[in-house]
Amino acid sequence: MAASGRGEAPEDAGQRAEPHTAEREHESPAGTEQLMEEVCERGNLKKAMDRVRANGGSPGVDGMRVEELADYLKDNWPAIREQLLSGRYQPKPVRRVEIPKPDGGVRKLGIPTVTDRFVQQAVLQVLQGRWDGSFSEQSYGFRPNRSAHQAIAQAQTYIADGESWVVDIDLEKFFDRVNHDMLMGRVAKRVADKRLLRLIRAFLNAGVMENGLVSPTDEGTPQGGPLSPLLSNLVLDELDRELEKRGHRFVRYADDCNIYVRSERAGQRVMESVKRFITRKLKLKVNGEKSAVGRPWERKFLGFSFTDGKEPKRRIAPKALERFKKRVRERTRRTRGMKLETMIAQLAIYLRGWKAYFGYCQTPKVLEALDGWIRRRIRCFAWQQWKHGRMRYRRLRRRGVSHELAACVAGSRQGPWHLSRTRALSLALPNAYLRSLGLPTLSEPHRA
């Protein structure tokens, strides 16, 4: 039901209900709760509508777009509300889409209808406020006022304290393999409203439409809608509690879990023990290819790695740098038929988003090198668009390059990449000019 970045609860913790702690699990589900009334409360629905609009996203199986939801609810909300309050609401199947993973393969998403996303969001807001306070402090994914950057900083603290080996655990197809009965058992310990229990079960069993055919879903929480992250944290909270009980120092973000220890031998012992727990108790599978015991500076966590030494620094993982360069090459391809200004405007959107996340690194020289590399890519783009010697000479002269230098470079047989480092191109397209067109500077200080 959820992809990363979608369906989180509102960031304003002051707007959330008083969190119910883990003591709720010991209460008898006597059926006295009226959570569905809270779900259908006007203020909760307004926040859900705002969040669905902000998240956007593709239509589900019914083809309805986010922009159409408000008008649809004006006519149909009374009937939907009655179905929710009576426990008869039936979600539609999710629409299957596949998106490529950065490390290869595909991630299967299940896109609910806009109406179902709205209902899921309303449910999420009620349950998140009640459950979040009972989750582990070492869980950072899909939670209000928590972030990947905080998870990375916590891992860095462990390494600085001498935990110089990491047990890197990756769960194989986690969102596809969650056992519905086990999940609903955990939900039932926290929810007494049987209407809400039926609704959550209905979302889990809604089925998947692929190539026009609907297939049943008897396990998993399909990524693509708002509710799945909360349910995944509920499942993995049992792993968190087990690791805490054993006294481990760990960080978990969704299905990525890193445990920090002082020796390789301890790491191997922990890996085998935790794998047994995950397999036998949680009925999940550890990805043997992606999981390993290693040095933190040889592994990656949420796109970052760390430098070796007594004071480890956050650095961008090599694979993340490779993906970044690939995306920039695609956006600065010399054969793209558009103006320089348009290309830079499109590139800037990607660079600002990338910097907001990876600007958290502590290796400014890497960012400075990337800035220089990007500017060379842009100068190559411009040089290619100027097409031939006469046009190149005129453009250089127009941009203030001397006659001698412009004539020398315009007639050169060297390729664009070599010429992008020449004084002529630097004078014609200086850094200040590129910034004036909206090109961000990655090496400027990161603002948290």
Side-chain angles (χ1 to χ4, degrees):
M1 294 177 202
S4 177
R6 293 185 181 178
E8 296 102 326
E11 293 298 321
D12 184 0
Q15 298 297 320
R16 292 185 284 128
E18 185 89 10
H20 291 203
T21 66
E23 294 176 1
R24 266 200 55 79
E25 296 187 15
H26 303 295
E27 297 177 7
S28 174
T32 57
E33 282 188 318
Q34 293 188 318
L35 291 183
M36 196 63 82
E37 279 73 14
E38 292 186 35
V39 170
C40 296
E41 191 269 327
R42 185 178 183 85
N44 186 56
L45 296 173
K46 184 180 184 302
K47 286 196 290 186
M49 174 66 79
D50 291 342
R51 181 51 63 103
V52 170
R53 283 172 170 165
N55 287 342
S58 303
V61 296
D62 61 356
M64 184 189 300
R65 294 176 288 111
V66 171
E67 297 80 11
E68 302 173 272
L69 178 59
D71 288 339
Y72 177 80
L73 292 179
K74 286 180 183 178
D75 297 330
N76 295 279
W77 175 245
I80 295 173
R81 183 177 185 275
E82 192 279 328
Q83 292 169 14
L84 290 170
L85 294 177
S86 64
R88 295 185 296 107
Y89 184 85
Q90 187 57 50
K92 290 182 171 61
V94 298
R95 181 171 64 87
R96 173 74 78 207
V97 297
E98 295 183 350
I99 60 173
K101 289 184 178 181
D103 295 332
V106 296
R107 175 178 287 111
K108 292 185 177 182
L109 301 184
I111 308 300
T113 66
V114 176
T115 307
D116 287 342
R117 295 209 292 269
F118 170 69
V119 173
Q120 282 192 39
Q121 183 66 38
V123 171
L124 169 69
Q125 291 165 180
V126 171
L127 296 184
Q128 183 98 53
R130 288 172 166 258
W131 295 0
D132 191 74
S134 72
F135 290 153
S136 169
E137 287 297 311
Q138 307 310 315
S139 167
Y140 291 88
F142 309 117
R143 296 182 61 189
N145 305 311
R146 286 175 169 258
S147 68
H149 286 171
Q150 292 173 335
I152 295 159
Q154 182 62 73
Q156 186 178 11
T157 299
Y158 291 149
I159 299 166
D161 287 346
E163 313 288 339
S164 58
W165 289 87
V166 59
V167 181
D168 186 353
I169 296 175
D170 182 89
L171 298 179
E172 185 173 309
K173 297 182 179 178
F174 167 71
F175 287 95
D176 298 331
R177 291 185 170 170
V178 173
N179 182 281
H180 286 180
D181 292 335
M182 290 182 62
L183 171 56
M184 290 307 303
R186 291 182 176 89
V187 175
K189 289 181 179 180
R190 295 169 178 252
V191 172
D193 191 324
K194 293 183 179 180
R195 299 166 298 175
L196 189 52
L197 291 173
R198 284 196 293 270
L199 178 62
I200 294 173
R201 172 73 81 165
F203 277 121
L204 293 173
N205 295 339
V208 175
M209 177 175 285
E210 196 168 11
N211 299 322
L213 299 176
V214 177
S215 303
T217 48
D218 53 11
E219 65 177 1
T221 59
Q223 301 179 74
L227 195 53
S228 181
L230 179 64
L231 297 180
S232 69
N233 274 332
L234 181 61
V235 171
L236 293 176
D237 187 59
E238 188 166 355
L239 172 62
D240 298 339
R241 296 308 177 188
E242 180 67 18
L243 296 178
E244 288 176 346
K245 186 172 72 174
R246 298 181 184 187
H248 291 313
R249 308 185 82 183
F250 71 98
V251 181
R252 183 178 64 79
Y253 190 97
D255 55 345
D256 288 331
C257 183
N258 279 7
I259 306 168
Y260 293 87
V261 296
R262 290 185 176 269
S263 70
E264 183 178 16
R265 184 176 179 181
Q268 296 294 351
R269 187 170 60 248
V270 169
M271 173 67 83
E272 292 307 312
S273 176
V274 173
K275 281 173 65 176
R276 283 196 300 271
F277 177 83
I278 290 172
T279 302
R280 297 174 183 177
K281 186 70 174 178
L282 302 185
K283 308 299 182 186
L284 297 170
K285 185 177 181 181
V286 173
N287 189 323
E289 293 184 1
K290 294 185 178 180
S291 301
V293 176
R295 295 291 199 177
W297 45 90
E298 295 171 349
R299 306 293 297 174
K300 65 181 179 66
F301 181 51
L302 303 177
F304 284 84
S305 186
F306 302 93
T307 59
D308 189 4
K310 292 183 179 180
E311 296 183 3
K313 302 294 185 183
R314 299 183 297 269
R315 65 183 181 92
I316 305 167
K319 285 188 177 181
L321 282 175
E322 290 174 13
R323 288 195 297 271
F324 171 76
K325 288 193 170 186
K326 179 182 177 182
R327 299 290 185 270
V328 172
R329 287 189 186 99
E330 291 169 352
R331 288 164 172 81
T332 57
R333 205 170 53 245
R334 302 169 204 166
T335 55
R336 296 187 75 188
M338 60 177 61
K339 293 182 178 179
L340 178 67
E341 295 82 358
T342 304
M343 184 274 286
I344 290 179
Q346 293 181 2
L347 175 64
I349 295 172
Y350 173 72
L351 294 180
R352 282 192 290 268
W354 189 88
K355 179 183 177 181
Y357 186 74
F358 286 104
Y360 190 58
C361 75
Q362 295 173 308
T363 50
K365 289 185 178 180
V366 173
L367 298 180
E368 291 171 6
L370 290 176
D371 278 331
W373 177 77
I374 291 168
R375 289 191 290 265
R376 287 188 67 184
R377 293 287 308 178
I378 292 173
R379 288 168 184 142
C380 283
F381 180 92
W383 189 253
Q384 193 76 9
Q385 289 219 322
W386 293 345
K387 294 183 179 179
H388 52 76
R390 290 182 180 178
M391 179 183 290
R392 288 167 177 168
Y393 173 80
R394 289 197 299 268
R395 292 297 181 94
L396 291 173
R397 291 288 290 140
R398 194 181 302 166
R399 300 289 308 161
V401 179
S402 68
H403 162 71
E404 293 81 4
L405 187 56
C408 178
V409 173
S412 173
R413 293 186 178 182
Q414 297 284 355
W417 184 246
H418 175 84
L419 294 175
S420 66
R421 296 189 64 178
T422 61
R423 185 165 177 267
L425 268 293
S426 295
L427 289 172
L429 300 170
N431 298 354
Y433 174 68
L434 298 181
R435 284 197 299 270
S436 74
L437 296 181
L439 181 69
T441 303
L442 301 179
S443 54
E444 287 179 349
H446 169 74
R447 295 179 175 85

